[in-house]
Amino acid sequence: MSKNPIATINRRNFLAAVATLPVMGVAMRASASEKLGFDQLYKSFGPLGLEFSDKVKQLSGKEIVINGFMAPPLKAEAAFFVLTEIPMSLCPFCSSDADWPDNIMVVYLASKQTFVQYNAPIMARGVLEYGSWTDPETGFISQLRLRGAPFRTV
């Protein structure tokens, strides 16, 4: 009984394609994330001060990628950190939202990670949220957040 070589190749190609689906899913997820820069967070000053940009509003609830620096965390086992546009040696997080600097974002980690030095450039990926929100566990107030976000040095 001879095998049909075309059917064998097709079956082999099919199995190879199925085996690459998990890798393709990761690649598709990475390319599906929108890149956002600190210079794209706000419009000009409005009657109430800084206004979030249309891009932030459009990307709210979607996965984004943003580069920055990790401000020193309050404690080693924190599940979040503050992402800053420029390296900051002090944590800017413990202030009211009225005093909130416009070039930072809170990053809630997807899982426990080791924090890095404040001057090491990092990339964070997560779901963007905007608007004043008070963390019920810490009482800290944020204007911009990433949820479920891993990070890596760049």
Side-chain angles (χ1 to χ4, degrees):
M1 184 167 162
S2 89
K3 289 187 175 183
N4 180 345
I6 294 174
T8 303
I9 292 171
N10 287 340
R11 186 177 304 122
R12 197 174 297 144
N13 288 345
F14 174 77
L15 292 174
V18 169
T20 63
L21 284 177
V23 174
M24 288 173 52
V26 169
M28 289 171 54
R29 180 174 176 246
S31 65
S33 298
E34 185 83 29
K35 180 130 175 82
L36 186 65
F38 280 97
D39 61 336
Q40 299 172 309
L41 299 180
Y42 297 96
K43 293 183 191 182
S44 60
F45 279 96
L48 302 175
L50 283 174
E51 295 179 35
F52 290 107
S53 69
D54 292 336
K55 186 166 186 172
V56 165
K57 293 174 184 175
Q58 291 167 355
L59 293 175
S60 181
K62 297 180 180 161
E63 186 175 82
I64 64 125
V65 171
I66 186 166
N67 291 340
F69 299 88
M70 180 183 294
L74 295 174
K75 54 185 181 175
E77 65 276 359
F80 64 91
F81 67 90
V82 176
L83 187 71
T84 62
E85 181 178 22
I86 59 173
M88 296 180 76
S89 60
L90 300 173
C91 178
F93 196 48
C94 304
S95 64
S96 75
D97 61 349
D99 299 328
W100 195 255
D102 62 356
N103 61 350
I104 62 177
M105 175 182 297
V106 180
V107 177
Y108 287 93
L109 299 172
S111 60
K112 197 174 194 176
Q113 283 188 256
T114 303
F115 292 128
V116 298
Q117 292 294 321
Y118 75 92
N119 58 354
I122 63 171
M123 181 198 78
R125 177 188 311 276
V127 176
L128 179 66
E129 293 180 357
Y130 76 96
S132 186
W133 182 76
T134 303
D135 186 317
E137 289 184 35
T138 63
F140 295 137
I141 301 168
S142 63
Q143 289 291 328
L144 285 168
R145 295 162 299 285
L146 283 186
R147 299 266 184 203
F151 69 89
R152 64 177 176 84
T153 57
V154 289

